[in-house]
Amino acid sequence: ALAPRCGSVLPGLEQRLAGPAMVSPATGRPFAAAAKTAKKDAKRTRQEKVKEKPPPRRRPLMSKPVDDVYLTWLYRRPSYELQQAVGMLKKFQQLDFTYPKQFVYINVFLDMALQKKKKVDPFSSNVTLPHRFTDEVNKVLVFTENEQEAEIAREHGAAIVGGVELIKWILEDEIQADFYVAVPAIIPKLIPLRNKLKRKYPSTRRNSLGSDIPRMLQFFRECHEYAVEDESIIKTRIARLDMPTEHIIANLKTIIHDICTFKPPNYDPIVRRLVIRSATSEGLLLNLDGILPQVQKVEEKEEKDAVDEDQQKPVQESVST
């Protein structure tokens, strides 16, 4: 009795049976678009409030703590005079009962910037320290095909001496040395080693190419090498802690003065921060006054003297007349 009569269709059922109707998202979910718009407006309002809110005032760092126990982040890192810092390192060793002949290290933070977004390229250098702190001798290889020069090289402590026959062994890592020096006559034949040796390839700029074999061997067997790491940091050892304080200071200043030669003096100093430490101690920040070479101050003094001389000349002339 409830079944429809044969051949009759309920109202509206014909359209549904004919095919699926296309319903838009807005029609099917009438509140979705409005909710999404309201959410965007609320987010925009929150962002505007954050922009309008002034940034929190950071508490200025205090210069010096007054108690033995304090929060380090509330105070500036103290800096020390060089002689005072070396004395503190020696005192740390005595209080901690650590090895008295441990190495002393420095971390040098560099300012490599030049004009117009240019900068100093990372470099390495070799320097002779005024006071040696290790008995280690560098392994030096000498390139020469002259038998007399080869004999001189052996007499002055060369670890390896030879000619072009060494190229193959160096390329295959069968022979390795700390430094490579050469005489001018053989340098055209060493071009295959340029990419292999890179910075250690013999050159006049690095004083590793020349005719004075004894002088080159004496320098490279005893020199101290350092290099820039991570584009702007130099980490190197400079002495032993049991050395006299004045010897440690002299070695440090020698390395710092050599580092300063890699940036023109008319720019800001290349050394930005300097930290000294021993193998078992904390790092101590150093005051750079008296450590960096006083190039600019010397120039200013010369200009001042020249001005004083110009001012004194008319007075002297008037007196003489």
Side-chain angles (χ1 to χ4, degrees), residues 9-19:
V9 181
L10 294 174
L13 183 60
E14 183 179 359
Q15 293 180 357
R16 272 181 255 153
L17 294 175

Side-chain angles (χ1 to χ4, degrees), residues 148-163:
Q148 185 177 0
E149 292 176 341
E151 187 61 29
I152 293 174
R154 295 187 188 96
E155 291 176 356
H156 286 81
I160 303 171
V161 183

Side-chain angles (χ1 to χ4, degrees), residues 31-283:
F31 300 103
K36 192 173 183 180
T37 304
K39 189 175 181 181
K40 286 184 178 179
D41 293 340
K43 185 177 180 181
R44 191 180 299 111
T45 304
R46 287 196 301 269
Q47 291 176 351
E48 291 175 355
K49 289 182 178 179
V50 170
K51 290 182 180 179
E52 293 175 358
K53 186 178 180 181
R57 295 182 61 184
R58 185 175 182 133
R59 188 174 182 180
L61 293 176
M62 305 176 71
S63 59
K64 190 176 180 180
V66 295
D67 299 321
D68 295 335
V69 180
Y70 58 91
L71 297 174
T72 56
W73 60 271
L74 285 178
Y75 300 90
R76 295 186 181 91
R77 185 176 182 179
S79 62
Y80 304 93
E81 299 297 330
L82 179 53
Q83 187 169 3
Q84 179 187 7
V86 174
M88 292 174 65
L89 294 182
K90 290 178 177 289
K91 191 68 174 179
F92 294 158
Q93 181 272 321
Q94 295 174 1
L95 294 175
D96 296 336
F97 296 98
T98 53
Y99 185 54
K101 295 185 178 181
Q102 59 188 285
F103 289 119
V104 178
Y105 299 84
I106 57 172
N107 294 351
V108 189
F109 299 86
L110 306 177
D111 178 9
M112 310 282 276
L114 297 174
Q115 278 184 343
K116 297 181 179 179
K117 297 183 179 180
K118 295 182 179 179
K119 62 180 182 179
V120 180
D121 294 329
F123 56 87
S124 63
S125 181
N126 310 305
V127 61
T128 301
L129 297 178
H131 306 283
R132 295 197 66 201
F133 59 90
T134 176
D135 295 331
E136 300 173 2
V137 177
N138 298 318
K139 186 178 179 180
V140 184
L141 184 149
V142 178
F143 288 108
T144 180
E145 293 181 320
N146 185 294
E147 187 58 35
Q148 185 177 0
E149 292 176 341
E151 187 61 29
I152 293 174
R154 295 187 188 96
E155 291 176 356
H156 286 81
I160 303 171
V161 183
V164 293
E165 71 277 3
L166 299 178
I167 295 177
K168 176 183 177 182
W169 304 109
I170 294 174
L171 292 174
E172 296 178 355
D173 293 328
E174 296 291 337
I175 293 178
Q176 294 181 350
D178 297 318
F179 297 100
Y180 302 81
V181 302
V183 294
I186 198 176
I187 198 66
K189 301 177 182 179
L190 302 181
I191 294 178
L193 293 175
R194 186 183 293 274
N195 292 333
K196 178 69 176 179
L197 300 182
K198 296 180 180 179
R199 293 180 179 176
K200 293 188 177 182
Y201 186 79
S203 67
T204 53
R205 185 171 61 88
R206 298 182 180 276
N207 299 319
S208 56
L209 176 62
S211 301
D212 194 345
I213 294 177
R215 182 186 61 81
M216 291 191 296
L217 281 171
Q218 181 181 3
F219 174 76
F220 285 104
R221 290 180 76 243
E222 300 178 357
C223 71
H224 178 75
E225 184 180 22
Y226 65 87
V228 176
E229 305 174 10
D230 300 327
E231 297 187 355
S232 61
I233 302 176
I234 294 175
K235 300 178 181 178
T236 184
R237 58 187 186 179
I238 62 169
R240 289 190 182 273
L241 195 56
D242 63 330
M243 292 172 59
T245 299
E246 56 271 18
H247 291 184
I248 298 176
I249 293 175
N251 283 359
L252 183 145
K253 288 186 175 181
T254 300
I255 295 176
I256 295 299
H257 286 209
D258 188 69
I259 293 172
C260 291
T261 61
F262 286 88
K263 189 174 183 180
N266 54 330
Y267 291 94
D268 293 334
I270 190 172
V271 177
R272 184 166 50 90
R273 282 194 303 142
L274 179 59
V275 175
I276 188 172
R277 65 177 180 86
S278 67
T280 59
S281 76
E282 62 177 296

